Amino acid sequence: MNVLGIIASGVAALFITVALAKSARRAALRPHVPDEPGGRAPRAGVLRRIGGAAAVLGVGTATGGALWLGAADDSAGSVAGLLAGAGTVAALGLVHDLKPLWAALRLAVQTAAAILVVCLAGLSPAAGVLAVLWIVLVTNAFALLDHADGLLTTVGVVTAAGLLACAVIDGSAALALLPAALAAGLAGFLLHNWHPARLRLGASGAQFTGFALAASGALIQAAAPSGRAAWAALPTLATVALADTALVLISRRRAARSPLRDTDDHIAHRLRRVRVTVPGTVILLALWAAVPVAAGTLVHAELLHPAFLLLPPAGSAAAVFALLRIPAYAPPRATSSRTTPPRTAARRTTAHTTDAAVPSASTGPNVPGSAAPTSGRGTPSSGAAAPAPGKNTATARTAEGHPTVPSPPAPTGRSAAQVAAERG
C-alpha cells in the first residue's frame, strides 16, 4: 500500500483548502466601495454561499495530483470516475447556488454521475443498480445536513475517517485517496465554517461531500472480500444523515407539508428549540455519528460481531421518535369569528347611536326630536321615558370607538335662589 501517497494527498488537500478558503473569506469581508451604500460589498452573501468551492477545489486538486503521480495504479479508473462524478455534482451545485434549479434536474444529474462511477468501477448490473440508488439517496441525505454552522463539515470529517480506515483495512490505497483528502479538506474548511460561520459549503460543497462519501462507501464495499460483512457496515456510516432525512420526511408528512420545501424542522433546529447551542448541537451530532462509524469500522475489520450493528440504528430510531415530539412548526393563526360584524358596519352603528343619543345644541327642551327635558338636578322629567331596568343601553361612541361626552343639560330658566329654596 502506498501510505506515503495517502498522507501526501491529505496534507495537500488541507493546505490548498485553507489557502483558498482564506482568500474567499477576505473577498467576502472586503469593505464596500465608497460610492456604494451599505457596510459590505454586495457580493459578500454570494461569496459566503459559494465558499464550499474552496473545499471542492482543494480536495479535487489533491486527489487528481495523487492520481497523476501514480498513487492509484491498481484502481486508477475507479478513482478517476469517482472524482469525475463528484466534480459534476459539485458544478451543478455551484450553478444552483447562483440560480436555483429544479429538483428533478438535480436528481437526474446526480443519477447520471452515479451511473458513471458504477460503470467505471466495473460492477455487475444488480450491484450497480443498488449502488446508484445508494449514492443518490446518501448524497441528498448528507446535503440536508448543511443547515447549521459546521454541522455537515464535522459529520463529514468523522464519516470520511471511517471510510479511510475501512479502505486501509482492505489494503486499497486507491480507494483511500479521496476519503483521506476529503477528511483533511473538510477539517481545513471547518476553520471558517465553525459558528459563527464566515463561509458556507453551499449546494456545491454539500453535494460534493455527500457524493464523495456515498460513492466511496459503495466502492469500498464492492471491493471488500466476500467473507467480510462490509454490506452490513456500510449503512451505519451514514446513520446521522439518514436519521435527519427520516425525521424531516415524517414530520412534513404529518403536517401535510411538501417534502421538497426546506423549513426549520431538522435535528439541529429541534435541538435549538430545547436551548442547545449551535456548537453544542454540532458536538452532539458528531458524537452521534462517531458511534455507528466506529461500530461499522470494527465490524468491517472483523473485530466485532455484525449483530452489534443493530444497536446504532435502534438508538437512532429512538432519537428520531423523541425529536418528533419537539414542535417544529408554528401553530396556525387564529381566525376571527364569523359572528363579529365588519368594521364598517360597526362604525355605521356607532355613528347612528351617537346621533341619537347626543342632543343638538340648537334644540330646546320643547322641540320635537330633542332629548328629554330634565329638571334642575339633571334627572329626566316625569314625561320622559326612562330606560327599563336590567336592559343594556347603547353607549354613544365616536368613529374611533371612544365613548362620547354628553352635552350639558339645557337651562330651565330658574334662578339659583329658586333651586336653593327647593332644596331647603
Side-chain angles (χ1 to χ4, degrees):
M1 176 185 292
N2 191 356
V3 179
L4 184 60
I6 298 174
I7 297 176
S9 64
V11 173
L14 175 63
F15 281 100
I16 295 174
T17 302
V18 169
L20 293 177
K22 188 175 182 180
S23 301
R25 178 183 175 181
R26 287 180 177 176
L29 301 179
R30 183 178 301 169
H32 66 88
V33 182
D35 58 347
E36 292 180 348
R40 290 178 180 175
R43 299 174 298 173
V46 178
L47 290 174
R48 288 194 197 92
R49 190 167 58 249
I50 64 176
V56 174
L57 291 176
V59 175
T61 302
T63 307
L67 289 176
W68 182 67
L69 294 175
D73 292 336
D74 52 345
S75 302
S78 299
V79 179
L82 178 58
L83 190 59
T88 302
V89 172
L92 177 71
L94 183 60
V95 176
H96 181 69
D97 284 328
L98 301 176
K99 184 178 181 180
L101 302 175
W102 291 346
L105 177 60
R106 288 179 287 161
L107 190 64
V109 174
Q110 292 171 4
T111 305
I115 293 174
L116 174 65
V117 173
V118 169
C119 292
L120 292 180
L123 300 181
S124 63
V129 171
L130 294 177
V132 168
L133 295 177
W134 169 260
I135 292 172
V136 174
L137 173 63
V138 176
T139 297
N140 291 278
F142 271 99
L144 288 178
L145 288 179
D146 189 29
H147 58 266
D149 295 346
L151 179 57
L152 176 58
T153 310
T154 306
V155 175
V157 170
V158 175
T159 309
L163 291 173
L164 174 61
C166 292
V168 171
I169 291 171
D170 291 340
S172 178
L175 296 179
L177 286 177
L178 186 56
L182 184 62
L186 291 179
F189 189 79
L190 187 59
L191 300 175
H192 307 278
N193 189 237
W194 189 257
H195 181 75
R198 276 75 64 186
L199 295 177
R200 293 178 50 194
L201 281 173
S204 177
Q207 293 187 16
F208 177 85
T209 301
F211 190 92
L213 294 174
S216 297
L219 295 184
I220 291 173
Q221 186 272 337
S226 58
R228 188 169 294 166
W231 61 271
L234 181 62
T236 60
L237 299 178
T239 300
V240 172
L242 295 178
D244 183 73
T245 303
L247 175 66
V248 167
L249 294 179
I250 293 173
S251 59
R252 293 178 186 176
R253 174 67 178 176
R254 288 183 174 182
R257 292 173 175 260
S258 173
L260 300 179
R261 183 179 181 181
D262 195 12
T263 54
D264 297 340
D265 53 1
H266 295 267
I267 295 177
H269 298 142
R270 296 172 190 265
L271 292 178
R272 290 289 294 137
R273 287 182 173 87
V274 293
R275 305 299 180 87
V276 181
T277 62
V278 176
T281 299
V282 174
I283 293 174
L284 284 177
L285 291 182
L287 295 176
W288 185 354
V291 173
V293 165
T297 304
L298 293 177
V299 170
H300 189 85
E302 297 182 337
L303 299 176
L304 197 66
H305 195 274
F308 285 94
L309 293 177
L310 298 176
L311 297 179
S316 299
V320 169
F321 179 76
L323 290 170
L324 284 173
R325 304 185 65 179
I326 301 176
Y329 309 108
R333 296 181 179 178
T335 58
S336 59
S337 176
R338 295 183 179 179
T339 59
T340 303
R343 184 175 298 179
T344 55
R347 289 182 177 178
R348 292 177 182 175
T349 306
T350 303
H352 290 309
T353 305
T354 305
D355 296 340
V358 180
S360 174
S362 61
T363 305
N366 298 325
V367 179
S370 63
T374 59
S375 62
R377 299 179 182 180
T379 57
S381 63
S382 58
K391 295 184 179 181
N392 297 328
T393 57
T395 303
R397 295 180 179 272
T398 62
E400 290 79 5
H402 302 290
T404 59
V405 179
S407 302
T412 58
R414 293 179 297 175
S415 62
Q418 295 176 351
V419 174
E422 291 178 359
R423 292 181 179 177

